[in-house]
Amino acid sequence: MSSTEDLIGRAEVNDLESILAITNIDAEATVRSVADHADAIFTWDYEKGARPALNKLYEKAKTSQWNGETDLPWDTEVDQEAVVMNNAAANSTGLDDGMDVAGTPFEKFSDADWIRVGVESQNWTLSQFMHGEQGALLCTAKIVETVPWIDAKYYAATQVMDEARHVEVFAKYLDTKLSGHYPINAHLGLLLDDIVADSRWDMTYLGMQIMVEGLALAAFGFIHQLTTEPLLKQLLRYVMSDEARHVAFGVLSLKEYYGELSGPELKERQEFAFEAAVRMRDRFLQQEVWERMGMRPKDVIPLVMQSPQRQLFQQMLFTKIVPNCKKLGLLDANDKWLRRRFEELGVIQFEDLADTGEEYEMFALAQGDQRSA
Ligand SMILES: [Fe+2]
Ligand SMILES: [Fe+2]
């Protein structure tokens, strides 16, 4: 496991060789154990309503549960190759994502090769979503134990159920509609390890609710818009309605707490947020897909990164994270430390988009969206 200092001290955060040197070394193992270093906190203050915004969120969560087994159209047939072609046609990207392939290792790629990349990419993406959801499941269970406020324990308990359902539906989609799993991406794995291992209760929130879930909400939204596959579209719509609440939970809880922290304490949070941002950016390089295609990631990733679609996606991932960090006061504390880092990552332009404190109302499922409700 590597620490924040490793990344911050790294001279070149954009050095592809060092990014690709991080690989999953226990991909064959069935379990992974991480010490969570946290005290379980009881509170004897049961007074409900001290935090009205959290209470409102809790009430909303109680009436927004859905059933992954019965509410989604699992009888939909999914032809992965057809989905790749339909998506390329619907989004006018071409199978090669609009890349200029002359003189590159892709020069001799046939349509069939590109379709295989698309199919593997579906398998990879959904696998990482599933692993990330399990990270959320574990982190929210930890928050139930470690957060000192009763309203937050109540809310977090509803999120544990939400995340179980998310893992369940992504696993079912992979098993019954796609054609193979990928182990957890090493960058995502390191990030989840770091979040789980931190003893401070707010770091679980910052890492999971603000960074990982903020990114997930943006990524799900992007794919929801782009995909022509109706089952996945609906599955993502359902998951997003929950995720918007989860990010709001993070923003509402930390806003209160971060108002009380000192400069040096905030600096630790800024560094943690930056490290998480870099790891998440790196995970989306999909290095494992290129390995499975028999290509050297080092040769092809710089080319893939130039495709307009890919650049748009990389940036889109930060549309929730940056405004939420701003709302928490993390951008400008300590002489704008995190603002400078986000400038370097090329994502600061999202700072004034809507934060996710209230946005969950917009994502809520309409009455009648649910099949069996
Ligand atoms: Fe989730
Ligand atoms: Fe979530």
Side-chain angles (χ1 to χ4, degrees):
M1 182 148 80
S2 106
S3 69
T4 308
E5 278 72 325
D6 290 345
L7 268 180
I8 290 167
R10 207 162 83 193
E12 184 45 273
V13 160
N14 295 317
D15 178 46
L16 189 59
E17 295 236 15
S18 8
I19 293 171
L20 296 178
I22 297 173
T23 54
N24 187 340
I25 47 173
D26 60 357
E28 304 300 319
T30 311
V31 296
R32 165 155 189 78
S33 68
V34 181
D36 81 0
H37 301 118
D39 289 337
I41 306 287
F42 285 91
T43 173
W44 310 127
D45 179 359
Y46 293 100
E47 196 180 326
K48 199 176 159 196
R51 295 177 176 79
L54 283 189
N55 231 285
K56 191 173 155 207
L57 207 54
Y58 177 49
E59 290 304 316
K60 184 87 198 165
K62 284 195 277 187
T63 56
S64 304
Q65 299 287 314
W66 45 276
N67 185 338
E69 203 58 59
T70 55
D71 289 337
L72 292 171
W74 290 108
D75 48 4
T76 307
E77 296 240 1
V78 178
D79 174 340
Q80 281 193 274
E81 297 189 357
V83 172
V84 172
M85 288 186 280
N86 293 341
N87 288 355
N91 298 286
S92 330
T93 52
L95 286 170
D96 59 5
D97 242 3
M99 285 194 292
D100 181 6
V101 297
T104 75
F106 295 121
E107 195 166 20
K108 297 211 164 63
F109 254 43
S110 62
D111 280 359
D113 292 324
W114 282 116
I115 288 169
R116 205 183 138 215
V117 170
V119 166
E120 287 305 324
S121 183
Q122 290 171 10
N123 294 337
W124 182 91
T125 303
L126 270 290
S127 295
Q128 302 314 321
F129 285 167
M130 176 181 68
H131 299 311
E133 293 291 354
Q134 188 186 167
L137 174 65
L138 268 59
C139 283
T140 351
K142 187 179 175 186
I143 288 176
V144 173
E145 289 192 349
T146 58
V147 68
W149 311 324
I150 197 74
D151 314 79
K153 285 184 190 291
Y154 289 160
Y155 180 78
T158 67
Q159 191 179 332
V160 173
M161 182 58 216
D162 292 347
E163 303 300 1
R165 181 169 57 233
H166 298 175
V167 181
E168 178 200 350
V169 295
F170 281 118
K172 180 166 178 167
Y173 191 85
L174 268 160
D175 282 339
T176 61
K177 307 298 174 187
L178 302 189
S179 52
H181 285 224
Y182 277 78
I184 189 165
N185 168 271
H187 301 281
L188 175 61
L190 280 172
L191 175 58
L192 294 180
D193 284 3
D194 279 353
I195 296 171
V196 171
D198 202 292
S199 63
R200 296 160 292 188
W201 66 264
D202 71 289
M203 291 300 205
T204 323
Y205 273 98
L206 178 60
M208 182 48 65
Q209 322 289 120
I210 302 298
M211 304 303 292
V212 176
E213 300 198 287
L215 179 136
L217 188 55
F220 294 163
F222 191 83
I223 294 173
H224 174 265
Q225 223 173 25
L226 186 141
T227 190
T228 53
E229 200 288 277
L231 171 59
L232 181 62
K233 216 177 185 54
Q234 190 160 350
L235 186 158
L236 290 172
R237 176 73 188 88
Y238 272 58
V239 172
M240 282 163 65
S241 72
D242 294 338
E243 294 304 347
R245 275 197 313 276
H246 302 169
V247 185
F249 177 46
V251 173
L252 295 171
S253 305
L254 292 185
K255 181 93 183 87
E256 173 178 345
Y257 185 63
Y258 284 2
E260 302 161 2
L261 294 187
S262 68
E265 285 169 330
L266 280 177
K267 182 73 182 296
E268 290 173 6
R269 274 72 187 174
Q270 292 174 302
E271 291 177 350
F272 193 87
F274 171 66
E275 179 195 23
V278 173
R279 292 223 187 282
M280 289 190 298
R281 179 201 61 173
D282 294 348
R283 106 186 216 212
F284 276 97
L285 296 174
Q286 300 198 351
Q287 65 198 74
E288 300 86 352
V289 168
W290 302 114
E291 281 157 10
R292 200 165 283 187
M293 291 291 296
M295 303 177 87
R296 295 206 314 168
K298 198 168 87 127
D299 297 338
V300 295
I301 285 174
L303 301 170
V304 178
M305 291 307 297
Q306 286 165 20
S307 106
Q309 188 74 1
R310 169 65 33 188
Q311 286 178 2
L312 184 67
F313 180 64
Q314 290 282 129
Q315 292 208 319
M316 274 284 303
L317 296 175
F318 289 88
T319 50
K320 305 290 175 196
I321 288 173
V322 180
N324 287 333
C325 283
K326 182 171 190 176
K327 176 145 192 186
L328 296 176
L330 290 176
L331 277 192
D332 290 322
N334 295 301
D335 293 329
K336 308 183 189 295
W337 189 87
L338 190 58
R339 171 180 296 280
R340 300 280 169 257
R341 301 291 86 73
F342 281 162
E343 280 168 6
E344 287 159 20
L345 292 180
V347 296
I348 195 66
Q349 66 273 28
F350 302 124
E351 64 169 311
D352 293 320
L353 294 184
D355 68 70
T356 317
E358 296 291 338
E359 208 183 22
Y360 66 91
E361 299 280 12
M362 195 185 91
F363 282 95
L365 295 172
Q367 214 72 43
D369 266 0
Q370 276 145 287
R371 279 187 155 191
S372 63

